[in-house]
Every structure is written in C-alpha cells, then in structure tokens.
Amino acid sequence: MNPESWRVKTAILLVSSLTIMSMITISASLPDMTKTFSQHSNAAGLVKLVLSFPALFIALSAIIAGLIIDKFGRLKLLGLALVLYAVAGSSGYWLDNLYLILVGRALLGVCVGISMTIVTTLVADYYQGQARQKFAGIQIAIMSIGGIIFITLGGFLADIHWRVPFLLYFFSILILPFTYLYLKEPKVQSETKTVKKGISSPKVIWFVFINVMLMWIIFFIIPVQIPFYLKSAIGIEKNALIGIAIASSTFFSAVSAFSYSKIKDKLNYQQVFCLGYFLMALAYVCIALSNSYAMVMLGMLLVGLGMGVLIPNANIWVMQLAPIEIRGREIGRLTTFWFMGQFLSPIILLPLLEFISQAQLFYTIAVVLIVLSLSFFIWQLKQRK
C-alpha cells in the first residue's frame, strides 16, 4: 500500500468527514425540534443535549478505542463502526421518543469515537515530518468542507421537516467500501503490538489535551446557541440561513486549515495557538456587537479562521509527542478531551444565560480568549529567552 496514493488519502478523508457532520448536521433542526417536544418540562435543554450528547460518548469510547487499536490493530473495528453510525445517526428520523433519540445519539458517539481515533492514528502511522504536517491540515480542511456540505444540506432539509436531516447519516454506508479496498494495517503497528512497560509521553502532552478541551468548550457554543441567537436577536426565521451561517464558520476553518502547513513552517506551536485564539476573540466580539446577519457572518468568518489553525496544530503536537508504542492511546486521549469539551460546552456556558444576555455571554467568552492568546504569547517569549 502506498500512503501517498490518492485512493488511500480519499478513504482517510472520507472517514474523517463523518466526525464534524455527526455533531452539527442537525443544528438547524433544533428550534423546530424544541416545538415538537414542547410537552417535556425541559424541552429546550433536552433538545440542545441531542446536539452535544454524542460528544460525551465519543469522549468515553475514544480512550478505550485507543488502547484496543494499540493492542489488536487499527482497522478491525472500523467497518462495524461505520454501519452502526448510519443506524444510530438516522434514529432521529424514525423515533418519536426524545429519550430514545438520545440513546441513538449516544451510540452515534461511540461510533465516532472509534472511527476518529482510528483515522487520526493512521495519519500519524502513514505520514512523517512535513508530509504529516501537510496532510493533517488537509484532513481538518476536508472535515470542515464536509461540515459545510452537511450542515447546509441540513438547513435546507430542516425547512422540509426537522427530522429529514437525520437521513444524511447514511453517508457512512457509502464510505464503507473505500475503507476495505484502500486502507491497510500499517507496518509500524504490527511491529509494536507489545506495548513496553514504562513508556510514556512528555508531560506537556497533558497541557495540550486540556487546551484542546478548553478550545472546544469555547467554540461549540456556536452551533448550539447561534440558531437561537439569530432568531431572537437578529430576527432570522429561515432555517436555511441559519445553516449557511454556521456552515460559513466551517468553510473558513477549511481555508485556514489548508494553509496550516505554511503557517506552521513560520511559527511554533505556541505562536499558532496565540494567533488562533486572537482571531476567535475578535469573532466573539463581532457576534456580541452584531445587529445584522452580515455582522454575525463576519464573526463566523473569524471564528472559522481561528479554529482552522488550532485543530491541526493540536493534532500534530500530540502526534509528535506520542511514542509509537502508545500512539493509539494518546490519540484516543486527544479525541476524548476534544469531545469532552464539546459535551461540556452547553453545560458550562448555557446556564450563564440565566444571569446575562446572549451578547454578554459572547463578550465574556471573548475576554477568556484574549487571556488564552496572551498566555501563549508570554509562553513563547519565555521559550525564546
């Protein structure tokens, strides 16, 4: 197998695209879904949990998946995960019970935790150095483009009925043949099945993990809250426009992710984090100040540019720090912290809306982002000295 083959790269990128679509495809459906289940005492909270619930189970399953693939191989679980992804993901179309829909979302999370850990580890296995850096940026960019396509489709389909976007999850079945035809067990893994005792990563890897969780806690308020913000604060009623707004952040994430390798050639890891957080801070200020759809779109542009460099930067840093023998475990942990941030985001941030307005919430997040950006700026200055 030639990792540089376009077939191999296409297979990896297609599986990668399932990660973002698993979460935000149904974002535009949330307001109408809330009306349907309004008989529940906490309908708004439960429906928002439908969006973020998979993240908890991605987080719980990814770390276990990382241990399994280090011991038994990368590809043994992938086919089953893709089949169950379609079944669990489409459950919102078939089920009338909100709690059963949440069960389906939980199973979807397990499938994503397995598939994402596998493909991210394969990137580290198949590619080295500059090639790895370049492909990691492409991987995040394609994930973002996939997000654009699916959330835009989700917005238009939600205007038909909020249930219809759930059918998009059958896309995983179309990907299944590519994985069997073009992905092979990497030689490096077969040579290191026995994990040596005492092998560990540098302690700084835990700083990267925690930083990734904070990054997603801050960002994930966009797909969770922007649909409601656009309707209540800006007066946007069309679900298609809501879908386009959220998808635009994903589009600009793809733009900056494609450029990540060139940016990383000129900046170190700390400087990239400083830049990404600063762009996101500007984005949240724009959203807080917005009194028009265009101003919100400017915020979506900036937040996308920031996340587009932050995600591959964290991934590459972990790949560099993790020893080959425990690579799957460490990338499983990365995935766990990534999606734990997504799950915790509405739990931590939405209760603040009981005390402050939506605009004030975005201002508060902007201040946190400025502090994070300055922290990385100071760190890289100390490192230079």
Side-chain angles (χ1 to χ4, degrees), residues 19-96:
T19 302
I20 288 186
M21 76 162 285
S22 69
M23 305 295 293
I24 61 176
T25 295
I26 62 166
S27 185
S29 295
L30 297 186
D32 290 342
M33 192 177 179
T34 303
K35 293 177 184 177
T36 299
F37 292 105
S38 59
Q39 74 275 13
H40 288 276
S41 58
N42 187 24
L46 288 172
V47 169
K48 287 178 181 178
L49 193 59
V50 168
L51 191 72
S52 61
F53 204 46
L56 173 62
F57 289 87
I58 297 170
L60 294 175
S61 61
I63 194 164
I64 299 171
L67 293 171
I68 292 172
I69 66 176
D70 275 338
K71 189 172 183 180
F72 298 106
R74 313 302 199 211
L75 298 174
K76 288 182 172 64
L77 288 175
L78 187 56
L80 177 62
L82 293 180
V83 173
L84 290 178
Y85 182 102
V87 175
S90 64
S91 62
Y93 183 83
W94 316 104
L95 299 173
D96 290 320

Side-chain angles (χ1 to χ4, degrees), residues 140 215 219 249 252-254 256-257 260 263 272-281 283 299-313:
I140 300 303
M215 180 176 78
F219 173 76
S249 70
F252 289 104
S253 175
S256 60
Y260 170 73
I263 294 170
V272 174
F273 273 118
C274 176
L275 172 64
Y277 281 133
F278 180 71
L279 289 171
M280 289 182 68
M300 296 298 101
L301 180 155
L302 291 168
V303 79
L305 292 178
M307 285 298 287
V309 293
L310 290 175
I311 300 171
N313 196 55

Side-chain angles (χ1 to χ4, degrees), residues 18 21 25 82-94 108 150 163-177:
L18 297 176
M21 76 162 285
T25 295
L82 293 180
V83 173
L84 290 178
Y85 182 102
V87 175
S90 64
S91 62
Y93 183 83
W94 316 104
L108 176 68
F150 287 109
R163 292 185 182 273
V164 180
F166 284 89
L167 294 177
L168 292 172
Y169 290 101
F170 279 109
F171 181 66
S172 65
I173 298 299
L174 300 178
I175 293 174
L176 190 59

Side-chain angles (χ1 to χ4, degrees), residues 28-342:
S29 295
L30 297 186
D32 290 342
M33 192 177 179
T34 303
K35 293 177 184 177
T36 299
F37 292 105
S38 59
Q39 74 275 13
H40 288 276
S41 58
N42 187 24
L46 288 172
V47 169
K48 287 178 181 178
L49 193 59
V50 168
L51 191 72
S52 61
F53 204 46
L56 173 62
F57 289 87
I58 297 170
L60 294 175
S61 61
I63 194 164
I64 299 171
L67 293 171
I68 292 172
I69 66 176
D70 275 338
K71 189 172 183 180
F72 298 106
R74 313 302 199 211
L75 298 174
K76 288 182 172 64
L77 288 175
L78 187 56
L80 177 62
L82 293 180
V83 173
L84 290 178
Y85 182 102
V87 175
S90 64
S91 62
Y93 183 83
W94 316 104
L95 299 173
D96 290 320
N97 185 298
L98 183 54
Y99 295 104
L100 289 179
I101 292 174
L102 286 170
V103 172
R105 299 294 286 176
L107 179 57
L108 176 68
V110 172
C111 297
V112 175
I114 294 169
S115 63
M116 183 177 178
T117 302
I118 290 172
V119 293
T120 306
T121 306
L122 287 176
V123 172
D125 290 335
Y126 289 167
Y127 307 100
Q128 304 295 324
Q130 187 74 17
R132 178 190 290 173
Q133 182 175 294
K134 184 176 180 180
F135 189 79
I138 294 172
Q139 182 190 25
I140 300 303
I142 294 300
M143 288 168 67
S144 299
I145 291 171
I148 296 165
I149 294 169
F150 287 109
I151 199 169
T152 304
L153 282 173
F156 283 103
L157 293 176
D159 281 328
I160 299 172
H161 195 280
W162 67 260
R163 292 185 182 273
V164 180
F166 284 89
L167 294 177
L168 292 172
Y169 290 101
F170 279 109
F171 181 66
S172 65
I173 298 299
L174 300 178
I175 293 174
L176 190 59
F178 288 86
T179 64
Y180 278 104
L181 289 172
Y182 304 126
L183 298 183
K184 306 297 179 186
E185 198 66 44
K187 290 181 180 179
V188 66
Q189 198 279 330
S190 61
E191 293 170 359
T192 58
K193 279 187 178 178
T194 303
V195 178
K196 297 178 182 178
K197 291 183 179 180
I199 292 177
S200 61
S201 301
K203 290 183 180 179
V204 70
I205 201 170
W206 286 97
F207 176 82
V208 182
F209 291 153
I210 293 170
N211 185 67
V212 165
M213 183 173 69
L214 288 173
M215 180 176 78
W216 280 105
I217 287 173
I218 290 167
F219 173 76
F220 206 65
I221 199 67
I222 295 292
V224 171
Q225 193 58 32
I226 283 296
F228 297 90
Y229 186 71
L230 284 171
K231 288 202 172 191
S232 63
I234 309 299
I236 301 299
E237 292 298 330
K238 277 190 167 289
N239 289 324
L241 288 176
I242 295 172
I244 290 170
I246 299 171
S248 66
S249 70
T250 312
F251 171 78
F252 289 104
S253 175
V255 171
S256 60
F258 271 124
S259 305
Y260 170 73
S261 184
K262 292 180 180 178
I263 294 170
K264 181 61 182 66
D265 286 339
K266 297 175 181 176
L267 303 176
N268 61 32
Y269 292 113
Q270 293 92 334
Q271 289 169 330
V272 174
F273 273 118
C274 176
L275 172 64
Y277 281 133
F278 180 71
L279 289 171
M280 289 182 68
L282 292 178
Y284 282 86
V285 169
C286 287
I287 295 169
L289 289 171
S290 62
N291 55 10
S292 67
Y293 184 74
M295 194 70 172
V296 173
M297 289 294 283
L298 176 60
M300 296 298 101
L301 180 155
L302 291 168
V303 79
L305 292 178
M307 285 298 287
V309 293
L310 290 175
I311 300 171
N313 196 55
N315 288 359
I316 290 294
W317 203 351
V318 170
M319 289 177 192
Q320 178 189 321
L321 292 169
I324 293 173
E325 295 86 350
I326 56 171
R327 181 177 285 161
R329 185 184 76 183
E330 300 294 45
I331 290 176
R333 284 175 174 170
L334 172 68
T335 307
T336 291
F337 277 86
W338 178 326
F339 287 96
M340 187 58 71
Q342 293 189 8

